[in-house]
Amino acid sequence: GPDLYAPTALVVAQQFWNAMQVVVVFLIVALNFQYSKASEEAKQRMAQQETTTPRQKSMFAATKWIVRVTSIVLICIMPFCIYVVSPGATIFAFLTATLTAIALMTP
């Protein structure tokens, strides 16, 4: 009869993929919390400091919006990337790399 089982490498890859998706949800929550909390603190700090440049303010605002938009897109496409071989998996992986880079740059 036909082989009803997936190759072991694919099964292991799928387990790692699902674990990564859970970690991404935690990353989304943590980054959005960090930027919402940091947003209030940054506004207070920037109001007190005269040395804050418009470029610093715009970079902070841009990063905050990148985090928000990327988070929304990731949540919306998650049903389409359940499987490691699904079409949405590549987009999901790219957006996850984007959020990870932002997380590593966040103080």
Side-chain angles (χ1 to χ4, degrees), residues 5-63:
Y5 300 102
T8 303
L10 183 60
V11 172
V12 170
Q14 184 64 46
Q15 296 303 314
F16 280 116
W17 182 252
N18 293 132
M20 188 205 53
Q21 287 177 323
V22 172
V23 170
V24 166
V25 171
F26 285 123
L27 181 64
I28 287 171
V29 170
L31 275 176
N32 278 290
F33 176 76
Q34 175 69 22
Y35 273 94
S36 65
K37 182 179 132 203
S39 179
E40 295 304 318
E41 292 173 359
K43 284 179 190 174
Q44 292 172 358
R45 198 171 340 127
M46 288 178 193
Q48 294 171 351
Q49 291 179 352
E50 297 173 6
T51 58
T52 304
T53 65
R55 184 174 188 274
Q56 288 173 318
K57 290 179 184 178
S58 64
M59 285 297 292
F60 181 82
T63 305

